[in-house]
Amino acid sequence: MDREIIEQHVTWEEYQRILKILGREPNLVELGIFSAMWSEHCSYKSSRPHLKKFPTEAPWVVQGPGENAGIIMVDEENQICAAFKVESHNHPSFIEPFHGAATGVGGILRDVFTMGARPVACMDSLRFGELNDSKMRYVAKGVVSGISHYGNCVGVPTVGGEVYFDSCYQTNPLVNAFALGIVKKDKIFYAKAAGVGNPVIYVGAKTGRDGIHGATMASEEFSSEEEVEKKVNVQVGDPFMEKLLIEACLEAMEKDGIVAIQDMGAAGLTSSSVEMAARGGVGVRLELDKVPTREEGMTPYEIMLSESQERMLVVCEKGKEEEIMEVFRRWDLDACVIGEVIEEPVLRLFWYGEEVAELPIKALTDEAPVYCRPFKVPEYIKENLSYDQNRIPEPEDYNEVVKKLLDSPTIASKRWIYRQYDHMVQINTVVYPESDAAVLRVKESKKGIAISSDCNSRYCYLNPYEGGKIAVAEAARNVACSGAIPRAITDCLNFGSPEDPEIMWQFVKATDGMADACRVLETPVVSGNVSFYNETTTDRGKRAVFPTPTVVCVGVLEDVEKRMTSFFKEEGDVIVLLGENVGNISGSEYQKLVEGEFRGRGQSIDLAFERALQRAIVEAIEKGLVKSAHDVSEGGLAVNLFESAFERELGFEVDFEDDIRTDFLLFGEDQSRIVVTVAKEKVEELLNFLEEKTVPAKVVGVVTGTGKGIVRHKGREVINLSIKECKEVYKNSLERKLTGML
């Protein structure tokens, strides 16, 4: 085979490994299969050694990593579980924003209902470049439109998420899609093929040429000139077909006979058949001429590598195939037997009776290459050690700083985005977007589920270890502020090329931090995804994204009626700050505003204190001691207070006595802080409770009915702004910028 063709699929060194495994040359179909299964996206060949450090078990974990989605117990008495996962669709969403984002939603939904769970919620974590670029405005609007189209049509609410805007994402936006479903423990299904002679059934949409080499594309960097030619690698989704597939799968699962089921996701029919066989220690024989296709002249190579959407692979008990297929046909979906489970652990492919591929299952999975990539500290980390934030001049007008921060697209209301999403369909959503976490009721239970997506990649860039810890801690803290106990996380690890030692150092340190935080906070990792090669070669050289280990935390409320929201409730309520002020602006939105870049050592966090804080706020909410709770994050204390006031347009007056420079105090993004409000008559009880829990807390002000936000530092008034006017800035900023009215 021509070396140029070989190196379009695998490296030359990997090809030599293939020759050694097979004892012969592979044909083109076999080489294509190796290319997909050995891609970074499918094999985790650069990340696998480091993922082992994540804790994955806890008494409430029902299924950890290794299946299509992780599962935790929500209600032991009623045996109700939650299945969830987050995955990336980054490159496709830059190349074709609408379809790239839409199919990201479709794929993650299939990962969830493959487990037997009915999807009840979606979230998305998005990263875009600066909006003064017309291309980025086009990408951002296309991504949001694709997410809303797919989620709204399929009837699964998008209940929250997060969006950041930084120049590092200018040519590499990140689109991470999350889905969660509900399933009874005895109704969980797995993707583990078994039973020699059992038929393998293809169900869903017909196979086309869209998405061929999609997994490979997700495992490589590309140049801006390649964008147009890569469009053929982007799948096109049909949410109405997905809705039929959800209902058909869940109905078929109610019948006896299904042994295993898996979504045809990355690498399509290749990964679904190989991975099911690998989990079961068996082999699979497929007759590719029986696969339903929608385009003429498709070859075995194209059929095996297509990533056409809305397709599933099912193994059922022999003799029950007609009953199972009849369910899918009734839902107007293709369903046909295309093969069978075989004893020999090999993948055998036939095309009109002729064998076109024979590959050992282990060669495609267990024997995939694993790289222990070298890593080293980046030069910018060393340079940042000498940074002194005191060199920044103190602002003359604090009111203007607040308004500029509220106008920043990273901080401003994401109303323009979430209003395009149906977050109420299925009527389970009881806390809506813009509180710290989304909260869902669980039918047939008094329990609730809280979900929050978080990752400040600026912190991860400046200090990947601390940033990794903070990503986990903040997601869990937001869940705790809703009144839920954080139970587990799913993650999507977005980085540049692992072949760059400095990028690999970021990955190693960030995952070290995440693992430490998960252990201390008792939030095991139950599922996830790694997305490398989020970088682009331009005429100015390579440009990688900030390390962005997105974390989605799922928590459980013992009583959903005791859920908490982040906004002020009544005039006269007392404002209390939990945690300590330090005044660190490194990696903050304020630093970006005044310096235009991120410098310094980033933020840091004490995990033992964070654990105490989270447990205390959950218990305080359970006891009815607080009326609102809002995590201090981007923009610092000043932004936190204004955000808390916007919902009901209540005012506030606060006075801080900390011996810290005023701008650092108000706009610093120190960790492990929560602003709560409490009724006057319960202030002493709350403070005594927090003292018992060794959580520092102090009264800083009061909620007023004046409609004014007033902040004093050591008695000096530094901020006096109309809540209504600030709300207009906050509410309309993103829409204005996305339409080019900067």
Side-chain angles (χ1 to χ4, degrees):
M1 194 179 299
D2 186 77
R3 181 165 179 164
E4 184 177 349
I5 294 174
I6 291 168
E7 292 185 336
Q8 289 172 0
H9 291 79
V10 294
T11 67
W12 187 249
E13 292 74 20
E14 288 173 346
Y15 185 68
Q16 301 309 309
R17 184 184 184 118
I18 291 169
L19 293 178
K20 187 175 180 180
I21 289 171
L22 297 182
R24 59 176 174 81
E25 285 197 357
N27 60 36
L28 186 59
V29 175
E30 293 170 329
L31 185 61
I33 291 169
F34 271 110
S35 172
M37 293 305 298
W38 283 15
S39 68
E40 194 73 58
H41 192 74
C42 290
S43 73
Y44 296 92
K45 57 191 176 186
S46 297
S47 60
R48 200 184 306 175
H50 303 284
L51 300 180
K52 293 177 182 178
K53 60 198 172 193
F54 287 155
T56 59
E57 297 179 346
W60 49 87
V61 173
V62 177
Q63 175 63 55
E67 273 287 343
N68 288 290
I71 301 178
I72 64 168
M73 180 63 69
V74 172
D75 184 338
E76 187 80 43
E77 181 181 353
N78 295 298
Q79 293 289 282
I80 298 172
C81 302
F84 53 92
K85 188 180 183 183
V86 64
E87 273 204 344
S88 62
H89 232 226
N90 300 336
H91 285 4
S93 298
F94 181 61
I95 295 167
E96 178 48 74
F98 181 90
H99 291 298
T103 51
V105 175
I108 201 65
L109 286 171
R110 288 192 296 279
D111 280 338
V112 165
F113 72 75
T114 292
M115 304 298 294
R118 176 171 289 280
V120 296
C122 287
M123 268 194 171
D124 47 80
S125 174
L126 309 176
R127 301 290 188 281
F128 300 115
E130 304 292 355
L131 293 177
N132 55 5
D133 175 8
S134 60
K135 171 65 186 288
M136 190 46 57
R137 294 197 296 271
Y138 159 77
V139 169
K141 288 187 284 188
V143 164
V144 171
S145 182
I147 291 169
S148 66
H149 169 73
Y150 207 100
N152 293 354
C153 291
V154 84
V156 178
T158 300
V159 297
E162 56 166 351
V163 191
Y164 282 74
F165 298 84
D166 279 311
S167 60
C168 68
Y169 304 110
Q170 213 70 33
T171 52
N172 278 274
L174 303 182
V175 177
N176 295 174
F178 166 89
L180 178 143
I182 299 296
V183 61
K184 289 290 186 77
K185 188 176 181 181
D186 63 350
K187 298 291 185 181
I188 296 170
F189 278 80
Y190 298 97
K192 182 178 178 181
V196 174
N198 279 340
V200 176
I201 304 172
Y202 173 112
V203 300
K206 288 180 168 61
T207 296
R209 290 189 171 94
D210 52 326
I212 293 174
H213 280 304
T216 310
M217 181 186 72
S219 306
E220 61 186 14
E221 63 183 87
F222 57 96
S223 67
S224 51
E225 289 75 22
E226 291 178 304
E227 183 183 332
V228 174
E229 67 184 70
K230 295 277 188 185
K231 282 184 183 285
V232 297
N233 296 128
V234 179
Q235 314 95 311
V236 176
D238 180 349
F240 298 106
M241 179 76 76
E242 180 100 339
K243 176 61 175 172
L244 297 177
L245 192 58
I246 291 173
E247 299 304 330
C249 284
L250 294 178
E251 182 181 331
M253 288 168 172
E254 288 294 321
K255 297 180 177 294
D256 290 332
I258 293 183
V259 175
I261 182 168
Q262 173 138 338
D263 161 41
M264 291 191 214
L269 184 54
T270 289
S271 62
S272 56
S273 57
V274 169
E275 289 172 3
M276 281 206 295
R279 291 189 189 105
V282 294
V284 175
R285 170 193 169 102
L286 300 179
E287 298 179 52
L288 300 182
D289 50 286
K290 294 184 178 178
V291 172
T293 58
R294 65 169 183 261
E295 298 183 51
E296 291 185 6
M298 289 192 69
T299 65
Y301 180 94
E302 293 170 325
I303 290 169
M304 286 302 293
L305 297 180
S306 167
E307 291 186 13
S308 293
Q309 296 293 287
E310 293 86 40
R311 302 179 302 155
M312 309 285 281
L313 202 62
V314 177
V315 175
C316 80
E317 293 178 15
K318 191 170 185 178
K320 295 187 177 180
E321 55 267 36
E322 282 303 321
E323 182 184 5
I324 297 298
M325 288 191 293
E326 179 54 33
V327 173
F328 290 95
R329 290 169 183 153
R330 192 165 63 251
W331 285 95
D332 205 23
L333 297 166
D334 279 290
C336 57
V337 175
I338 64 166
E340 65 177 357
V341 176
I342 60 177
E343 184 174 4
E344 188 182 5
V346 297
L347 176 68
R348 293 190 185 280
L349 305 180
F350 291 83
W351 183 246
Y352 292 102
E354 179 186 352
E355 186 172 87
V356 293
E358 178 190 340
L359 295 172
I361 296 294
K362 280 192 173 183
L364 301 170
T365 54
D366 296 349
E367 295 178 10
V370 175
Y371 297 123
C372 294
R373 305 279 191 188
F375 52 90
K376 68 175 183 178
V377 179
E379 287 303 314
Y380 75 86
I381 294 287
K382 301 173 187 175
E383 293 167 3
N384 277 339
L385 295 176
S386 60
Y387 173 78
D388 179 9
Q389 67 182 30
N390 291 302
R391 70 181 191 178
I392 299 171
E394 191 168 349
E396 295 179 4
D397 188 337
Y398 279 85
N399 288 332
E400 281 303 307
V401 174
V402 171
K403 287 189 281 188
K404 286 179 180 178
L405 289 174
L406 293 173
D407 188 53
S408 158
T410 291
I411 287 177
S413 169
K414 307 309 181 292
R415 174 175 171 269
W416 181 87
I417 295 175
Y418 71 73
R419 287 189 67 185
Q420 298 183 50
Y421 304 154
D422 187 338
H423 55 267
M424 285 300 297
V425 65
Q426 299 189 27
I427 60 170
N428 295 317
T429 315
V430 292
V431 173
Y432 308 145
E434 293 215 323
S435 196
D436 281 8
V439 179
L440 307 170
R441 68 166 55 89
V442 179
K443 291 170 182 174
E444 302 179 29
S445 172
K446 74 171 189 175
K447 302 284 182 83
I449 294 173
I451 318 166
S452 178
S453 172
D454 281 284
C455 175
N456 190 314
S457 61
R458 302 158 177 184
Y459 305 161
C460 294
Y461 171 73
L462 295 173
N463 189 329
Y465 176 70
E466 292 293 331
K469 290 198 295 185
I470 291 169
V472 174
E474 188 172 359
R477 191 185 316 132
N478 284 334
V479 163
C481 284
S482 74
I485 301 168
R487 282 305 193 199
I489 71 162
T490 179
D491 58 48
C492 191
L493 309 177
N494 306 273
F495 290 78
S497 170
E499 297 168 48
D500 180 335
E502 295 190 351
I503 298 292
M504 199 63 207
W505 181 85
Q506 293 175 341
F507 181 83
V508 171
K509 294 302 178 182
T511 49
D512 282 346
M514 292 175 67
D516 286 350
C518 287
R519 275 188 287 272
V520 174
L521 301 178
E522 295 185 88
T523 51
V525 180
V526 297
S527 59
N529 169 236
V530 179
S531 176
F532 277 131
Y533 298 100
N534 290 291
E535 59 183 48
T536 304
T537 301
T538 68
D539 54 3
R540 296 181 180 179
K542 288 186 179 180
R543 187 179 198 176
V545 301
F546 285 169
T548 312
T550 300
V551 171
V552 183
C553 183
V554 176
V556 177
L557 288 97
E558 290 302 307
D559 184 350
V560 73
E561 296 304 321
K562 293 186 177 181
R563 61 192 178 271
M564 186 55 57
T565 53
S566 63
F567 55 87
F568 296 155
K569 301 301 188 298
E570 291 182 272
E571 179 183 354
D573 288 344
V574 176
I575 301 171
V576 178
L577 172 65
L578 281 59
E580 298 280 12
N581 298 321
V582 177
N584 183 359
I585 66 163
S586 181
S588 69
E589 190 69 24
Y590 178 61
Q591 185 180 50
K592 180 179 181 179
L593 176 67
V594 297
E595 294 203 291
E597 61 180 345
F598 301 109
R599 300 285 306 282
R601 302 183 185 214
Q603 300 293 324
S604 60
I605 189 168
D606 179 336
L607 291 175
F609 174 66
E610 178 70 32
R611 173 183 165 127
L613 176 69
Q614 291 185 20
R615 294 191 173 195
I617 191 64
V618 171
E619 191 173 342
I621 292 168
E622 174 71 23
K623 289 176 175 289
L625 295 179
V626 301
K627 297 175 73 173
S628 72
H630 188 18
D631 160 49
V632 180
S633 56
E634 286 75 29
L637 280 169
V639 166
N640 173 289
L641 291 163
F642 278 92
E643 287 176 338
S644 300
F646 288 151
E647 176 76 14
R648 297 186 178 179
E649 296 186 6
L650 290 165
F652 60 85
E653 288 191 28
V654 297
D655 197 335
F656 297 101
E657 296 297 329
D658 303 73
D659 191 19
I660 300 171
R661 209 176 93 170
T662 303
D663 54 340
F664 299 164
L665 168 69
L666 297 181
F667 310 126
E669 296 181 8
D670 318 322
Q671 294 302 296
S672 304
R673 295 181 297 166
I674 300 171
V675 171
V676 304
T677 54
V678 55
K680 285 181 181 178
E681 63 273 16
K682 291 189 177 181
V683 172
E684 188 174 348
E685 185 181 356
L686 174 65
L687 293 177
N688 289 337
F689 167 78
L690 292 170
E691 186 177 4
E692 289 175 10
K693 301 296 181 181
T694 65
V695 171
K698 56 191 170 189
V699 173
V700 295
V702 64
V703 178
T704 69
T706 63
K708 288 278 190 179
I710 299 173
V711 179
R712 301 182 184 91
H713 185 206
K714 294 188 175 181
R716 178 174 69 101
E717 184 176 285
V718 290
I719 296 171
N720 188 329
L721 287 166
S722 160
I723 298 297
K724 191 169 185 177
E725 289 179 14
C726 289
K727 182 178 177 179
E728 287 302 304
V729 173
Y730 177 80
K731 184 173 72 173
N732 298 316
S733 170
L734 187 56
E735 182 174 5
R736 191 175 70 251
K737 288 176 169 59
L738 281 167
T739 54
M741 299 171 62
L742 303 174

